[in-house]
Amino acid sequence: MWLIRYPFPPSAIRCESCLVSQTLDLISVTAIKSARAGKLIGRRVVWLDQTVSTNETAKELAGRRAPEGTIVLADEQSAGKGRLGRTWTSPPGASILLSVVLRPRLSILTNLTMMASLAATRAIEGSTGLAASIKWPNDVLVAGKKVGGILIEGQLSGEMPRFAVVGIGLNVNFDVRTAPEIPETATSIALELKHEFPRQALLLALLDELEVAYTALKAGAAILPEWRARLETLGRWVKVATSVGLIEEGRAEDVDELGRLLLRHADGSLVALSEGDVSLRY
Ligand code: BT5
Protein backbone atom coordinates (compact mmCIF):
# COMPACT_ATOMS: atom_id res chain seq x y z
CA MET A 1 0.00 0.00 0.00
CA TRP A 2 1.27 3.50 -0.85
CA LEU A 3 1.19 6.04 1.91
CA ILE A 4 1.98 9.67 2.46
CA ARG A 5 5.04 10.06 4.63
CA TYR A 6 6.27 13.16 6.41
CA PRO A 7 10.04 13.10 6.11
CA PHE A 8 12.42 14.31 8.80
CA PRO A 9 14.63 16.24 8.63
CA PRO A 10 13.11 18.31 5.82
CA SER A 11 16.45 18.43 4.04
CA ALA A 12 16.60 14.62 3.89
CA ILE A 13 15.35 12.71 0.87
CA ARG A 14 11.87 13.99 0.19
CA CYS A 15 9.47 11.16 -0.36
CA GLU A 16 5.83 11.97 -0.74
CA SER A 17 4.68 8.41 -1.00
CA CYS A 18 6.79 5.64 0.45
CA LEU A 19 6.23 2.03 1.36
CA VAL A 20 5.92 1.44 5.09
CA SER A 21 8.61 -1.21 4.76
CA GLN A 22 11.03 1.54 3.69
CA THR A 23 10.78 3.03 7.17
CA LEU A 24 14.29 3.61 8.45
CA ASP A 25 13.68 3.98 12.15
CA LEU A 26 12.74 0.40 12.89
CA ILE A 27 11.46 -0.98 16.16
CA SER A 28 12.70 -4.46 17.03
CA VAL A 29 9.97 -6.59 18.55
CA THR A 30 12.54 -9.23 19.54
CA ALA A 31 14.51 -6.65 21.52
CA ILE A 32 11.34 -5.41 23.24
CA LYS A 33 10.30 -8.92 24.18
CA SER A 34 13.71 -9.70 25.65
CA ALA A 35 13.85 -6.38 27.55
CA ARG A 36 10.39 -7.02 29.03
CA ALA A 37 10.95 -10.64 30.06
CA GLY A 38 9.69 -11.15 33.62
CA LYS A 39 8.02 -7.73 33.73
CA LEU A 40 4.33 -6.82 33.83
CA ILE A 41 4.19 -4.09 31.18
CA GLY A 42 5.03 -5.83 27.92
CA ARG A 43 4.53 -9.38 29.13
CA ARG A 44 2.77 -9.84 25.80
CA VAL A 45 3.78 -7.74 22.81
CA VAL A 46 1.51 -7.27 19.82
CA TRP A 47 3.20 -5.51 16.90
CA LEU A 48 1.20 -4.27 13.91
CA ASP A 49 2.62 -2.56 10.82
CA GLN A 50 -0.69 -0.80 10.51
CA THR A 51 -3.91 -0.63 12.49
CA VAL A 52 -6.91 1.65 12.80
CA SER A 53 -5.95 2.66 16.34
CA THR A 54 -3.78 0.80 18.85
CA ASN A 55 -6.40 1.64 21.52
CA GLU A 56 -9.10 -0.08 19.46
CA THR A 57 -6.92 -3.17 18.99
CA ALA A 58 -6.02 -3.22 22.69
CA LYS A 59 -9.68 -2.92 23.74
CA GLU A 60 -10.58 -5.81 21.47
CA LEU A 61 -7.78 -7.95 22.95
CA ALA A 62 -8.70 -6.92 26.50
CA GLY A 63 -12.30 -7.98 25.85
CA ARG A 64 -10.92 -11.36 24.81
CA ARG A 65 -9.09 -11.76 28.12
CA ALA A 66 -5.64 -10.52 27.10
CA PRO A 67 -3.55 -10.49 30.28
CA GLU A 68 -2.78 -7.29 32.14
CA GLY A 69 0.40 -5.78 30.76
CA THR A 70 -0.28 -6.71 27.12
CA ILE A 71 1.04 -3.96 24.87
CA VAL A 72 -0.05 -3.09 21.35
CA LEU A 73 2.39 -1.17 19.16
CA ALA A 74 1.98 0.03 15.59
CA ASP A 75 4.05 1.78 12.95
CA GLU A 76 0.98 3.47 11.59
CA GLN A 77 -2.64 4.22 12.55
CA SER A 78 -5.29 4.93 9.93
CA ALA A 79 -7.60 6.58 12.48
CA GLY A 80 -5.55 7.45 15.57
CA LYS A 81 -7.77 8.85 18.29
CA GLY A 82 -7.52 11.80 20.62
CA ARG A 83 -10.11 12.58 23.32
CA LEU A 84 -13.74 13.42 22.47
CA GLY A 85 -13.62 12.06 18.93
CA ARG A 86 -10.56 14.08 17.94
CA THR A 87 -7.83 12.75 15.64
CA TRP A 88 -4.25 11.85 16.50
CA THR A 89 -1.96 12.36 13.51
CA SER A 90 1.08 10.20 12.93
CA PRO A 91 3.00 9.48 9.74
CA PRO A 92 4.21 5.90 9.32
CA GLY A 93 7.36 4.95 11.18
CA ALA A 94 7.97 8.24 12.96
CA SER A 95 5.98 8.07 16.21
CA ILE A 96 5.55 5.88 19.24
CA LEU A 97 1.99 4.55 19.14
CA LEU A 98 1.43 2.41 22.19
CA SER A 99 -1.57 1.02 24.07
CA VAL A 100 -1.30 -0.92 27.31
CA VAL A 101 -3.99 -3.24 28.68
CA LEU A 102 -4.38 -2.79 32.44
CA ARG A 103 -6.80 -4.29 34.94
CA PRO A 104 -6.70 -1.70 37.75
CA ARG A 105 -8.92 -1.63 40.82
CA LEU A 106 -11.58 1.07 40.88
CA SER A 107 -9.75 3.33 43.33
CA ILE A 108 -6.82 3.96 40.98
CA LEU A 109 -8.77 4.22 37.72
CA THR A 110 -8.84 8.01 37.76
CA ASN A 111 -5.06 8.14 38.32
CA LEU A 112 -4.09 6.44 35.07
CA THR A 113 -3.65 9.67 33.08
CA MET A 114 -1.45 10.95 35.90
CA MET A 115 0.55 7.71 35.89
CA ALA A 116 1.02 7.63 32.10
CA SER A 117 1.94 11.30 31.67
CA LEU A 118 4.44 11.04 34.51
CA ALA A 119 6.01 7.94 32.91
CA ALA A 120 6.17 9.65 29.50
CA THR A 121 7.93 12.77 30.84
CA ARG A 122 10.40 10.69 32.83
CA ALA A 123 11.14 8.52 29.79
CA ILE A 124 11.72 11.53 27.52
CA GLU A 125 14.09 13.12 30.02
CA GLY A 126 15.93 9.88 30.76
CA SER A 127 16.48 8.84 27.16
CA THR A 128 16.76 12.12 25.22
CA GLY A 129 17.97 14.57 27.87
CA LEU A 130 15.17 17.01 26.93
CA ALA A 131 13.22 18.52 29.82
CA ALA A 132 9.55 17.50 29.67
CA SER A 133 6.47 18.81 31.44
CA ILE A 134 2.72 18.17 31.52
CA LYS A 135 -0.21 20.35 30.57
CA TRP A 136 -3.23 19.24 32.57
CA PRO A 137 -4.74 16.80 32.06
CA ASN A 138 -3.08 14.74 29.33
CA ASP A 139 -0.59 16.68 27.20
CA VAL A 140 3.09 15.82 27.28
CA LEU A 141 5.20 18.89 26.52
CA VAL A 142 8.76 19.64 25.50
CA ALA A 143 9.82 23.28 25.34
CA GLY A 144 6.21 24.19 26.16
CA LYS A 145 4.88 22.43 23.03
CA LYS A 146 2.83 19.24 22.70
CA VAL A 147 5.05 16.27 21.91
CA GLY A 148 2.59 13.60 23.03
CA GLY A 149 -0.86 12.81 24.34
CA ILE A 150 -2.56 10.24 26.53
CA LEU A 151 -5.94 8.63 25.91
CA ILE A 152 -7.43 6.36 28.58
CA GLU A 153 -10.36 4.16 27.65
CA GLY A 154 -11.94 1.22 29.39
CA GLN A 155 -14.91 -0.87 30.23
CA LEU A 156 -16.74 -1.28 33.51
CA SER A 157 -18.53 -4.40 34.65
CA GLY A 158 -21.11 -2.95 37.01
CA GLU A 159 -19.06 -0.68 39.27
CA MET A 160 -15.80 -2.56 38.71
CA PRO A 161 -13.33 -1.88 35.91
CA ARG A 162 -13.16 -4.84 33.51
CA PHE A 163 -10.10 -3.32 31.89
CA ALA A 164 -8.48 -0.02 31.07
CA VAL A 165 -6.42 0.80 28.00
CA VAL A 166 -3.71 3.41 28.34
CA GLY A 167 -2.96 4.91 24.92
CA ILE A 168 0.19 6.98 24.46
CA GLY A 169 1.25 8.77 21.30
CA LEU A 170 4.67 10.47 21.11
CA ASN A 171 6.04 12.43 18.14
CA VAL A 172 9.59 11.22 17.71
CA ASN A 173 10.91 11.72 14.14
CA PHE A 174 7.82 13.52 12.92
CA ASP A 175 8.24 16.90 11.30
CA VAL A 176 4.96 18.27 12.64
CA ARG A 177 5.43 21.43 10.55
CA THR A 178 4.54 19.42 7.44
CA ALA A 179 1.10 18.44 8.76
CA PRO A 180 -1.31 21.36 8.36
CA GLU A 181 -3.94 19.81 10.64
CA ILE A 182 -1.58 19.89 13.61
CA PRO A 183 -1.58 23.10 15.63
CA GLU A 184 1.54 25.27 15.86
CA THR A 185 1.69 24.35 19.52
CA ALA A 186 3.05 20.89 18.60
CA THR A 187 6.59 19.60 18.35
CA SER A 188 8.58 16.36 18.16
CA ILE A 189 11.65 14.95 19.84
CA ALA A 190 13.66 15.29 16.62
CA LEU A 191 12.63 18.91 16.11
CA GLU A 192 13.73 19.79 19.65
CA LEU A 193 16.97 17.80 19.47
CA LYS A 194 17.61 19.02 15.90
CA HIS A 195 18.46 15.47 14.88
CA GLU A 196 16.66 12.16 14.52
CA PHE A 197 16.25 9.96 17.57
CA PRO A 198 15.77 6.16 17.67
CA ARG A 199 12.17 5.34 18.62
CA GLN A 200 13.36 2.07 20.15
CA ALA A 201 15.41 3.79 22.88
CA LEU A 202 12.51 6.03 23.91
CA LEU A 203 10.05 3.15 23.77
CA LEU A 204 12.14 0.94 26.05
CA ALA A 205 12.52 3.81 28.52
CA LEU A 206 8.76 4.43 28.38
CA LEU A 207 7.93 0.79 29.13
CA ASP A 208 10.35 0.85 32.08
CA GLU A 209 8.82 4.05 33.46
CA LEU A 210 5.27 2.74 33.02
CA GLU A 211 6.25 -0.33 35.02
CA VAL A 212 7.72 1.82 37.82
CA ALA A 213 4.80 4.26 37.95
CA TYR A 214 2.06 1.62 37.72
CA THR A 215 3.72 -0.53 40.38
CA ALA A 216 3.90 2.52 42.66
CA LEU A 217 0.27 3.42 41.98
CA LYS A 218 -0.93 -0.11 42.73
CA ALA A 219 1.10 -0.20 45.94
CA GLY A 220 -0.51 3.03 47.13
CA ALA A 221 2.73 5.03 46.82
CA ALA A 222 2.24 8.73 46.17
CA ILE A 223 2.85 9.70 42.56
CA LEU A 224 0.88 12.94 42.95
CA PRO A 225 3.75 15.15 44.23
CA GLU A 226 5.99 14.50 41.22
CA TRP A 227 3.08 14.82 38.79
CA ARG A 228 2.09 18.09 40.41
CA ALA A 229 5.67 19.36 40.18
CA ARG A 230 5.69 18.60 36.45
CA LEU A 231 2.41 20.39 35.73
CA GLU A 232 3.17 23.63 33.94
CA THR A 233 -0.50 24.59 34.31
CA LEU A 234 -0.40 25.34 38.04
CA GLY A 235 -0.26 28.93 39.20
CA ARG A 236 -1.39 30.19 35.77
CA TRP A 237 -4.60 32.00 34.85
CA VAL A 238 -6.41 29.58 32.54
CA LYS A 239 -9.58 28.99 30.57
CA VAL A 240 -10.89 25.43 30.63
CA ALA A 241 -13.43 24.25 28.03
CA THR A 242 -15.24 21.17 29.34
CA SER A 243 -16.80 18.44 27.18
CA VAL A 244 -20.30 19.60 28.12
CA GLY A 245 -19.64 23.04 26.68
CA LEU A 246 -18.86 24.93 29.89
CA ILE A 247 -16.05 27.48 29.98
CA GLU A 248 -14.40 27.91 33.37
CA GLU A 249 -11.89 30.69 33.92
CA GLY A 250 -9.63 31.26 36.87
CA ARG A 251 -6.29 30.50 38.50
CA ALA A 252 -5.16 26.87 38.30
CA GLU A 253 -4.51 26.57 42.02
CA ASP A 254 -3.76 22.90 42.55
CA VAL A 255 -4.70 19.33 41.70
CA ASP A 256 -6.29 16.84 44.07
CA GLU A 257 -5.66 13.12 44.74
CA LEU A 258 -7.99 12.19 41.87
CA GLY A 259 -6.03 14.33 39.43
CA ARG A 260 -8.77 16.98 39.23
CA LEU A 261 -7.79 20.58 38.54
CA LEU A 262 -8.74 22.98 41.32
CA LEU A 263 -9.64 26.26 39.70
CA ARG A 264 -10.10 29.46 41.71
CA HIS A 265 -12.57 31.84 40.05
CA ALA A 266 -12.10 35.60 40.20
CA ASP A 267 -14.92 35.75 42.83
CA GLY A 268 -12.94 33.42 45.12
CA SER A 269 -15.04 30.29 44.58
CA LEU A 270 -13.27 26.99 43.88
CA VAL A 271 -14.26 24.35 41.35
CA ALA A 272 -12.77 20.85 40.83
CA LEU A 273 -12.59 19.87 37.15
CA SER A 274 -12.07 16.27 36.10
CA GLU A 275 -11.65 16.96 32.37
CA GLY A 276 -11.36 19.77 29.87
CA ASP A 277 -9.11 21.58 27.42
CA VAL A 278 -6.91 24.22 28.97
CA SER A 279 -5.83 27.44 27.31
CA LEU A 280 -3.13 29.14 29.29
CA ARG A 281 -3.73 32.86 29.71
CA TYR A 282 -0.72 34.06 31.73
C1 BT5 B 1 -4.70 13.39 22.96
O1 BT5 B 1 -5.98 13.81 22.72
O2 BT5 B 1 -3.74 14.09 23.08
C2 BT5 B 1 -4.58 11.87 23.06
C3 BT5 B 1 -3.71 11.30 21.99
C4 BT5 B 1 -3.53 9.81 22.17
C5 BT5 B 1 -2.90 9.18 20.98
C6 BT5 B 1 -2.55 7.73 21.22
S1 BT5 B 1 -1.60 7.05 19.93
C7 BT5 B 1 -1.78 5.47 20.58
C8 BT5 B 1 -3.22 5.38 21.06
N1 BT5 B 1 -4.10 4.95 19.99
C9 BT5 B 1 -4.95 5.93 19.63
O3 BT5 B 1 -5.81 5.84 18.73
N2 BT5 B 1 -4.77 7.00 20.43
C10 BT5 B 1 -3.73 6.78 21.40
P1 BT5 B 1 -6.42 15.35 22.77
O4 BT5 B 1 -5.98 15.98 24.06
O5 BT5 B 1 -7.88 15.31 22.47
O6 BT5 B 1 -5.62 16.03 21.61
C11 BT5 B 1 -5.98 15.86 20.27
C12 BT5 B 1 -5.59 17.13 19.54
O7 BT5 B 1 -4.15 17.23 19.49
C13 BT5 B 1 -6.03 17.15 18.08
O8 BT5 B 1 -7.32 17.67 17.96
C14 BT5 B 1 -4.98 18.05 17.42
O9 BT5 B 1 -5.29 19.42 17.64
C15 BT5 B 1 -3.74 17.76 18.23
N3 BT5 B 1 -2.89 16.73 17.59
C16 BT5 B 1 -3.24 15.72 16.76
N4 BT5 B 1 -2.17 14.97 16.45
C17 BT5 B 1 -1.12 15.54 17.08
C18 BT5 B 1 0.25 15.22 17.15
N5 BT5 B 1 0.79 14.16 16.52
N6 BT5 B 1 1.04 16.01 17.92
C19 BT5 B 1 0.56 17.08 18.59
N7 BT5 B 1 -0.74 17.43 18.56
C20 BT5 B 1 -1.58 16.66 17.82
Side-chain angles (χ1 to χ4, degrees):
M1 189 199 309
W2 294 90
L3 296 151
I4 302 296
R5 181 158 183 238
Y6 301 92
F8 191 89
S11 55
I13 308 158
R14 255 193 198 282
C15 155
E16 283 184 339
S17 47
C18 290
L19 281 170
V20 173
S21 57
Q22 288 175 354
T23 297
L24 294 172
D25 182 22
L26 295 174
I27 285 178
S28 157
V29 179
T30 316
I32 295 167
K33 283 184 176 164
S34 92
R36 302 316 299 165
K39 309 268 171 52
L40 175 69
I41 308 296
R43 71 197 283 191
R44 239 177 87 182
V45 181
V46 176
W47 169 265
L48 300 160
D49 286 340
Q50 196 204 36
T51 185
V52 172
S53 145
T54 55
N55 263 34
E56 287 304 315
T57 310
K59 283 193 288 180
E60 208 179 298
L61 294 173
R64 288 196 267 124
R65 298 178 194 283
E68 182 173 57
T70 298
I71 60 172
V72 179
L73 289 159
D75 236 354
E76 191 198 358
Q77 295 183 133
S78 56
K81 301 193 306 179
R83 293 172 303 150
L84 305 169
R86 291 188 283 237
T87 303
W88 186 255
T89 304
S90 55
S95 303
I96 288 176
L97 305 167
L98 165 72
S99 296
V100 186
V101 175
L102 296 178
R103 300 192 183 276
R105 60 180 188 273
L106 187 62
S107 61
I108 59 170
L109 200 55
T110 55
N111 297 110
L112 294 181
T113 306
M114 187 188 291
M115 186 280 293
S117 53
L118 182 58
T121 50
R122 280 183 183 167
I124 290 169
E125 291 189 350
S127 64
T128 71
L130 292 165
S133 62
I134 299 162
K135 181 175 154 201
W136 184 91
N138 70 318
D139 286 356
V140 180
L141 308 182
V142 167
K145 291 181 156 188
K146 183 161 175 168
V147 78
I150 315 283
L151 174 66
I152 312 287
E153 297 185 278
Q155 209 179 79
L156 292 173
S157 168
E159 296 258 294
M160 296 308 293
R162 239 186 112 211
F163 62 80
V165 165
V166 176
I168 304 176
L170 294 177
N171 303 327
V172 186
N173 295 311
F174 177 13
D175 187 354
V176 290
R177 299 167 304 184
T178 61
E181 71 276 24
I182 294 195
E184 281 177 9
T185 47
T187 192
S188 67
I189 297 297
L191 277 173
E192 295 306 323
L193 286 174
K194 299 188 175 44
H195 58 79
E196 292 191 50
F197 191 80
R199 285 185 297 163
Q200 177 94 3
L202 180 52
L203 176 60
L204 290 176
L206 178 60
L207 296 172
D208 273 342
E209 294 295 354
L210 283 168
E211 181 101 20
V212 171
Y214 188 55
T215 306
L217 187 60
K218 280 196 304 182
I223 62 167
L224 181 69
E226 188 184 340
W227 185 67
R228 180 193 275 123
R230 286 178 180 272
L231 279 174
E232 60 127 60
T233 320
L234 295 187
R236 313 271 293 266
W237 191 266
V238 297
K239 255 192 187 173
V240 185
T242 71
S243 61
V244 291
L246 286 175
I247 304 282
E248 299 276 359
E249 186 165 350
R251 188 160 305 282
E253 198 165 274
D254 203 354
V255 279
D256 67 11
E257 290 290 333
L258 301 174
R260 295 181 304 180
L261 184 67
L262 304 178
L263 195 82
R264 181 77 64 186
H265 293 133
D267 67 4
S269 60
L270 193 69
V271 64
L273 300 170
S274 48
E275 52 84 24
D277 285 313
V278 171
S279 338
L280 301 170
R281 298 279 124 171
Y282 48 85

